[in-house]
Amino acid sequence: MDFRTDTPIYVQIATHIKEQIMSGSLRYGDKLPSVREYSLLFEVSALTMQRALAQLDTEGIIQAKRGIGNFVLSDCRENLEARMVDQQVQEFIARMRNM
């Protein structure tokens, strides 16, 4: 994954995981790969990956179960879709203002 310099890497990773949920690559109830597996996949430190997963947990997208793993919550789609559309609109408006 190529990371942009204008956004923290953990935010970009969290957004990528959200997009996977929206596209159906990750389904509700699915167990996410471990922090170590994700760290290798994205080529980032475990701390960066933990921050990304913690953000998703805080947003109610995934649920962390200590000692078991992280799971996609079953009721997050509607809320996630609305937030992602709003984020895209805000980014578009910011880009247009900069032009």
Side-chain angles (χ1 to χ4, degrees):
M1 183 171 170
D2 293 325
F3 297 111
R4 301 183 319 264
T5 58
D6 62 336
T7 308
I9 292 173
Y10 77 94
V11 172
Q12 294 177 60
I13 292 171
T15 300
H16 178 76
I17 294 171
K18 290 176 191 177
E19 289 169 352
Q20 288 183 313
I21 293 169
M22 293 303 298
S23 72
S25 297
L26 287 172
R27 299 179 198 279
Y28 311 116
D30 282 354
K31 181 179 179 187
L32 298 178
S34 70
V35 170
R36 179 174 285 149
E37 291 170 329
Y38 265 142
S39 296
L40 293 173
L41 176 69
F42 290 114
E43 298 177 350
V44 297
S45 71
L47 181 60
T48 299
M49 199 59 235
Q50 286 174 333
R51 286 186 74 185
L53 294 173
Q55 178 180 334
L56 293 171
D57 189 26
T58 300
E59 292 179 17
I61 306 301
I62 65 171
Q63 180 181 23
K65 295 183 180 180
R66 187 174 291 276
I68 299 173
N70 295 294
F71 297 86
V72 179
L73 289 175
S74 61
D75 57 350
C76 70
R77 183 173 174 84
E78 298 82 24
N79 192 13
L80 177 59
E81 186 174 351
R83 280 190 280 170
M84 288 187 75
V85 167
D86 184 54
Q87 178 184 355
Q88 292 293 324
V89 169
Q90 296 302 321
E91 289 174 5
F92 175 77
I93 290 170
R95 282 194 309 268
M96 291 299 106
R97 284 184 181 152
N98 289 334
M99 293 180 142

